[in-house]
Amino acid sequence: MAENDPTAPVVHDAYSDDYIRDILRGVKTIAMVGASDNWNRPSYFAMKYLQQKGYRVYPVNPKVAAAGGEILGEKAYADLDSLPETVDMVDVFRNSEVAGAVTDAAIGHGTRVVWMQLGVRNDEAAARAEAAGIKVVMNRCPKIEFSRLFGELGWHGFNSRVISSKRRIPGKSDAVGGDSDVGDGFVAKGFETLAVHAGSAPDPTTGARATPIYQTTAYVFDDVDHAASLFNLQTFGNIYSRLSNPTVAVLEERIAALEGGHGTTCTASGHSAQMLALFALMGPGDRFVASKRLYGGSITQFGRTFQKFDWHCDFVDVEELEIVRQAALHPKCKAIFAESLANPGGVITDIQALARVADEAGVPLIIDNTMATPYLCRPLEHGADIVVHSTTKFLSGHGNAMGGAVVDGGKFAWDKNDKFPSLSKPEPAYHGLTFFETFGDLAYTIYGHAVGLRDLGPTMAPMNAYLTITGIETLPLRMERHVANAARVAEWLAANPKVAWVSYAGLPGNKYHGLAQRYLPKGAGSVFTFGIKGGYEAGVRAVERCRLLSHLANIGDTRSLILHPASTTHRQLTEEQRTAAGAGDDVIRLSIGLENADDIIADLERALA
């Protein structure tokens, strides 16, 4: 299925996959201008990878050529005019200004494609090349695009945007059977289609349609050179399941696709996802700003446990934007954190307003989207930079699999200031490799795997990934029922004389009803709170009298759940903190499940009697 009309002008801000795929399939010979003989430079990585995929790559490096040297077994040349043949593509590993002269030389050389690497863009030169009938790609890496389109980037959960019901051999430009059209994949636009198919394909060896559980710790290397390339991040593949696992990778890509993100790192729990999300950003003495309306465990993690890392959290009311702004402008501030739909109070965050503050401060906006799920809200579309999930909740959906996820939107420029050295400065553990320079908009997710999971180790178990993949397949259907049931229960509670108040943004007249219509038009979720008359003792009594609703500390289950936060999830907090978080003594939290709504109401009626 073609993405775009092939006669339409190329949009350099958003290339179609068909455009990139056709170039990579049609090219056989490449001149890499700026190829380095230093094994730890991005150009060396890219040249070696492209050679492994069957391309003939000529290195163009005047210094090495003058010495009569070679790079990766190929003679180095001083310029394009010195090449022994007219190449199909000129790959530009020089800065944007110099790319103009290189492009003009490529036009004179007679090449068919000019490809400018990550961070390199020259629109005037591109226009000259296109006027000469040459295809142009800018600010992309052919190594990464080949890996994404032909099945290799799945090892660390990047959103390939490729869906296929055919067997695909990773790293090959054609599908099994040699029919090049089969490998192209289908461009899915529907959320329901992505929930079932994104990230998964039939097993290339057995043809198994369901995602296998790869219950293994490690993976065999082809040879010593292959092992070295993997450990040096020069090529893509699996090393050890603490870093990556094929089952987990399917879940990572599926979540990235559903959120409209660029890549995902899955973790063992929602709490470890929060830790990993901040790990790439924070250093000793650094600060971040967080909403004071958060899940109680998050408040404890941010306010107490993270202090042991010398990370410091400034809790603020995110509705007071000037206070948020002043805190975010602190020179040591590295992020703003909030929940799209707050747990437990159902407060809805104005994501766009926070995104403007984050942009002014030069820091990423991190949104916990656990309660809303991407079916109800996609924070990246409203300006968020990073999304985190406890996949334990609605994504898994059946109360049987722990997990977390960190989704990168791929839009934040990690080198625009000096705040994020982990991504913009050389990494000693990888021989001075710079993640953002080498991997561009993949840098944050690769760092999450290559450093975060490697050193902190909060790895998701393959079995939990498998259960969550299965759960996500029905996410759209489940969320529709969750929301419909929640709306009925909230309306019933609002009319009950033993209920003091109901905090459900789906109810007209609720303070957040307007924000709900903007950010959650399909419904305000199925987790909300209400105040029971009689306070703490009445709350305890009500949860203990339920016979259908389960009294436990979880949300997002198929079963309806009930909790008194003041005596459970938020009991570590002070009374003032509990009240600020929406978990006062009279508060009862409901997570409405998929049962018959009349039965849920009947059980609550008995509990309140």
Side-chain angles (χ1 to χ4, degrees):
M1 176 179 175
E3 291 181 61
N4 291 324
D5 180 353
T7 64
V10 175
V11 179
H12 291 292
D13 289 318
Y15 299 106
S16 75
D17 288 346
D18 285 344
Y19 180 75
I20 299 293
R21 187 185 290 112
D22 288 346
I23 288 174
L24 293 175
R25 280 195 174 135
V27 164
K28 303 300 180 186
T29 57
I30 302 172
M32 184 172 287
V33 179
S36 174
D37 58 351
N38 180 345
W39 71 270
N40 205 31
R41 296 299 300 155
S43 60
Y44 189 97
F45 288 17
M47 180 175 172
K48 183 176 182 179
Y49 180 86
L50 293 172
Q51 285 179 322
Q52 292 170 343
K53 299 307 172 187
Y55 296 102
R56 179 73 183 273
V57 186
Y58 295 104
V60 177
N61 183 316
K63 183 178 179 180
V64 178
E70 295 182 346
I71 300 176
L72 288 167
E74 289 283 355
K75 176 184 175 181
Y77 296 88
D79 50 43
L80 297 179
D81 292 335
S82 306
L83 296 178
E85 63 174 312
T86 300
V87 296
D88 299 324
M89 183 172 92
V90 174
D91 186 7
V92 185
F93 256 103
R94 303 293 301 278
N95 64 42
S96 298
E97 183 178 352
V98 176
V102 176
T103 300
D104 292 337
I107 295 171
H109 178 73
T111 190
R112 295 189 287 112
V113 179
V114 170
W115 189 303
M116 302 182 199
Q117 279 287 342
L118 285 172
V120 183
R121 179 162 181 164
N122 188 316
D123 289 275
E124 292 78 10
R128 294 195 297 271
E130 289 172 333
I134 295 173
K135 291 184 176 181
V136 178
V137 177
M138 297 187 287
N139 193 27
R140 297 286 185 96
C141 175
K143 167 191 170 184
I144 291 173
E145 294 303 303
F146 187 101
S147 301
R148 179 178 69 83
L149 292 171
F150 302 123
E152 284 188 333
L153 278 183
W155 78 274
H156 42 31
F158 286 104
N159 185 4
S160 70
R161 302 193 300 274
V162 174
I163 287 177
S164 178
S165 63
K166 306 298 183 182
R167 301 191 203 186
R168 296 162 53 85
I169 298 177
K172 300 293 184 182
S173 60
D174 293 332
V176 173
D179 181 354
S180 62
D181 290 337
V182 172
D184 290 353
F186 179 86
V187 181
K189 298 180 180 178
F191 187 95
E192 294 82 0
T193 305
L194 294 174
V196 174
H197 290 282
S200 68
D203 182 77
T205 302
T206 66
R209 191 62 187 91
T211 300
I213 303 170
Y214 288 92
Q215 194 66 42
T216 184
T217 57
Y219 309 84
V220 173
F221 307 124
D222 296 341
D223 49 40
V224 172
D225 186 61
H226 177 230
S229 295
L230 289 169
F231 277 98
N232 290 332
L233 301 183
Q234 293 172 326
T235 194
F236 301 107
N238 295 295
I239 299 173
Y240 194 67
S241 280
R242 187 173 76 244
L243 284 75
S244 63
N245 174 278
T247 309
V248 178
V250 170
L251 175 61
E252 289 172 330
E253 181 168 352
R254 186 161 299 178
I255 294 172
L258 294 178
E259 284 287 5
H262 208 52
T264 296
T265 305
C266 277
T267 64
S269 67
H271 257 34
S272 59
Q274 292 174 168
M275 177 178 66
L276 206 72
L278 290 163
F279 180 65
L281 316 179
M282 304 286 287
D286 285 342
R287 315 188 71 83
F288 67 103
V289 180
S291 170
K292 65 182 181 180
R293 296 185 183 91
L294 298 176
Y295 163 56
S298 297
I299 293 174
T300 302
Q301 183 190 45
F302 291 178
R304 296 186 181 275
T305 304
F306 280 173
Q307 288 187 2
K308 295 184 177 183
F309 301 159
D310 199 13
W311 300 353
H312 304 278
C313 181
D314 296 308
F315 291 103
V316 299
D317 183 346
V318 293
E319 295 174 14
E320 300 290 340
L321 292 178
E322 183 55 31
I323 294 175
V324 178
R325 178 178 174 274
Q326 291 301 323
L329 289 173
H330 189 288
K332 299 290 282 184
C333 178
K334 298 299 179 70
I336 298 174
F337 187 102
E339 294 178 0
S340 56
L341 182 59
N343 177 12
V347 173
I348 296 176
T349 297
D350 190 342
I351 300 172
Q352 293 174 355
L354 285 186
R356 290 191 291 269
V357 175
D359 184 62
E360 180 184 354
V363 300
L365 172 60
I366 305 173
I367 295 293
D368 182 336
N369 201 34
T370 298
M371 293 253 288
T373 81
Y375 181 74
L376 298 180
C377 178
R378 303 221 301 180
L380 297 176
E381 295 178 350
H382 299 291
D385 300 292
I386 297 165
V387 172
V388 297
H389 280 277
S390 170
T391 64
T392 312
K393 310 303 190 296
F394 289 99
L395 295 185
S396 173
H398 294 77
N400 58 8
M402 296 289 292
V406 184
V407 185
D408 178 24
K411 299 291 180 64
F412 195 88
W414 300 107
D415 63 347
K416 68 180 179 181
N417 52 45
D418 295 327
K419 285 180 174 285
F420 310 105
S422 292
L423 299 170
S424 64
K425 303 296 182 184
E427 170 56 52
Y430 285 103
H431 306 285
L433 174 149
T434 300
F435 277 86
F436 190 63
E437 176 192 33
T438 304
F439 301 112
D441 53 10
L442 309 183
Y444 181 81
T445 300
I446 290 183
Y447 187 92
H449 286 77
V451 180
L453 291 180
R454 182 197 65 185
D455 293 343
L456 298 177
T459 305
M460 176 180 278
M463 185 64 183
N464 285 345
Y466 173 81
L467 292 170
T468 307
I469 290 166
T470 305
I472 286 178
E473 291 180 359
T474 60
L475 177 67
L477 299 173
R478 288 188 288 107
M479 292 308 296
E480 286 181 0
R481 182 61 174 266
H482 277 301
V483 168
N485 279 354
R488 279 202 58 197
V489 173
E491 290 171 0
W492 179 83
L493 286 169
N496 191 294
K498 297 194 176 182
V499 173
W501 51 266
V502 178
S503 179
Y504 183 61
L507 293 175
N510 181 277
K511 176 181 178 181
Y512 299 99
H513 187 63
L515 288 176
Q517 292 179 312
R518 186 197 309 176
Y519 293 114
L520 294 94
K522 295 179 182 178
S526 67
V527 179
F528 63 93
T529 56
F530 68 92
I532 185 170
K533 294 179 180 178
Y536 188 97
E537 296 301 328
V540 170
R541 202 162 47 243
V543 298
E544 290 179 346
R545 288 176 58 83
C546 287
R547 293 297 177 266
L548 175 66
L549 277 69
S550 300
H551 180 205
L552 54 84
N554 191 28
I555 57 173
D557 201 328
T558 55
R559 292 160 283 270
S560 290
L561 314 174
I562 189 167
L563 193 75
H564 182 231
S567 63
T568 51
T569 56
H570 290 64
R571 71 176 301 137
Q572 301 97 331
L573 308 182
T574 65
E575 183 177 350
E576 181 181 26
Q577 287 177 316
R578 289 201 306 269
T579 301
D585 287 349
D586 64 335
V587 174
I588 292 179
R589 184 186 73 184
L590 296 176
S591 175
I592 302 301
L594 307 182
E595 305 94 342
N596 180 280
D598 290 335
D599 289 335
I600 298 171
I601 290 171
D603 195 44
L604 286 171
E605 186 171 28
R606 180 184 184 281
L608 296 176

